[in-house]
Each structure stands twice: as C-alpha cells, then as structure tokens.
Amino acid sequence: MKVLSLLILFFSSLFIGETVVSNGYQPGDKAADFKLKSVDGKMYSMADYKDAKGFIVVFTCNTCPFAIKYEDRINDLAKKYKKQGYVLLAINPNDPAVQPADTYELMQDKAKDKKFAFPYLVDEGQQVYPQYGATKTPHVFLLDKNLVVKYIGAIDDNSDDASAVKERYLENAIAALEKGSEPSPSLTKAIGCSIKAKKKV
C-alpha cells in the first residue's frame, strides 16, 4: 500500500507546477535549432555560430520582476562565456497582446537601455518556447555544440540578491562541460513568472 501511495504521488507530481518536469526537452535530448528576429532586425539561429562550444538559451522578457532582477546577471554571463566560446541567446516568449509591455519595440528599448551584449530574440507565433518546454521567465537551457541539452532550470539559487548566491547552477553546468563531464544537477526548478501565452479563441 505504501508503494502504491508513493507511485501515486510521483505520477501526480508530473502535472503540478511546483516540479521541474516539463513537456519539452529533458537533459540528453537533441534540441531543434530556431531562426528568430532580434532587436537589431537581424535573424539569428544557432547554426550561425559554427565554432561555438555551446549555447545558453534563456527565455526571458521585459516585464517579469524575476527577469528584471536577472538582467544584469544574464548580461554578465553573456560577456563572460563569449570569451570561452559559449553563445547566449535570449528569447522573449510572451505574447504582446497579453502583455503589452513585451512588444518588439519595447524589447528594442530595453536592449538599448541595458546595453545587452547578446541577441534579444522574439518568439513570434510562440513556436519555440513550447518545443523547449520553457514555463517561466527566466528559464535557461544549456546546450553543447551538438545541441544536446545538458542543463535546464534556474541560473542560480537566489533571484533576489546576486551577492547572496550560493549555488551557480548554470555556471557549474558549464564548468562540468569544460571538464568533459555531465552537469549535476542537470535539472533544477526555474523560478519566475509564467509565460504569457496567446489567448485561445
């Protein structure tokens, strides 16, 4: 009976929002490339970076308080890991009809104001984020050079205070890749706002 109860708890946990389980990619899956427009008007895809050692794909936005708290950290990560051969691509998955402050024009303003050192892409039609299984902003996916997913989840363990971070999940995952080993943990819970999906008619 105890075993049955544990099984029920396990399977029910797959469907609640407090777990790290998603319907998209899991560590070890091969991710699909995308081609999305950035705030500079150009189209970007991972195929553009032939010499990249890996990719940091961050689903984020203009408006979520958690995303705003991470803006500087994301910018710093982009600068730091570009030198090591890792490309950071930020994607805004929100539907601007649902969240008006996430329009393309306001994304351009945000990128200029914050001096983003990475392409800030718009997921027009919301085709990419469901494929990846992103549910929050921010939500990070670390891919190796072959687009194999190596880490999914939070950037670190303290969204409120960058100076109080104890576990740098993303950076630790990249360090593991540099050593030729698998990140541990490879999956953490993303903390942030829910993605604003297009309203169904």
Side-chain angles (χ1 to χ4, degrees):
M1 192 68 181
K2 186 177 180 181
V3 173
L4 179 61
S5 298
L6 288 172
L7 285 171
I8 291 170
L9 281 172
F10 171 75
F11 285 110
S12 64
S13 73
L14 298 179
F15 300 97
I16 62 176
E18 295 303 307
T19 69
V20 295
V21 177
S22 79
N23 292 320
Y25 296 134
Q26 296 296 310
D29 290 345
K30 176 76 177 284
D33 201 352
F34 45 74
K35 196 172 187 68
L36 299 174
K37 185 168 71 171
S38 183
V39 291
D40 63 3
K42 298 177 182 178
M43 302 297 288
Y44 287 82
S45 70
M46 290 183 283
D48 298 329
Y49 301 92
K50 303 295 185 184
D51 299 323
K53 292 170 68 176
F55 298 90
I56 303 164
V57 179
V58 184
F59 292 88
T60 187
C61 67
N62 284 0
T63 53
C64 170
F66 293 92
I68 291 169
K69 289 175 183 177
Y70 273 105
E71 285 172 348
D72 292 336
R73 277 178 264 185
I74 292 170
N75 218 18
D76 290 343
L77 287 165
K79 294 173 185 176
K80 177 179 179 178
Y81 287 101
K82 181 179 181 181
K83 298 173 185 176
Q84 296 187 33
Y86 291 84
V87 176
L88 190 147
L89 299 168
I91 301 173
N92 187 340
N94 284 348
D95 183 351
V98 179
Q99 177 47 272
D102 276 315
T103 64
Y104 180 71
E105 291 73 23
L106 290 175
M107 286 175 60
Q108 291 177 309
D109 292 344
K110 170 75 76 172
K112 183 177 180 181
D113 179 57
K114 298 298 295 186
K115 297 181 172 60
F116 283 166
F118 50 83
Y120 188 23
L121 313 171
V122 56
D123 187 5
E124 289 184 291
Q126 298 188 308
Q127 298 296 311
V128 176
Y129 92 78
Q131 190 171 23
Y132 274 66
T135 59
K136 303 288 185 182
T137 52
H139 203 157
V140 65
F141 293 72
L142 174 64
L143 317 179
D144 69 11
K145 64 181 180 181
N146 297 314
L147 307 191
V148 175
V149 180
K150 294 296 182 177
Y151 170 76
I152 303 173
I155 292 170
D156 56 45
D157 69 349
N158 197 319
S159 58
D160 292 323
D161 186 356
S163 66
V165 169
K166 294 180 180 178
E167 291 289 337
R168 302 181 186 278
Y169 301 125
L170 175 60
E171 294 198 70
N172 292 342
I174 295 172
L177 292 194
E178 288 291 286
K179 294 176 183 176
S181 58
E182 295 296 321
S184 180
S186 60
L187 194 64
T188 62
K189 178 184 173 184
I191 304 296
C193 304
S194 61
I195 291 172
K196 305 305 182 281
K198 183 179 180 65
K199 292 180 179 178
K200 295 180 179 179
V201 179

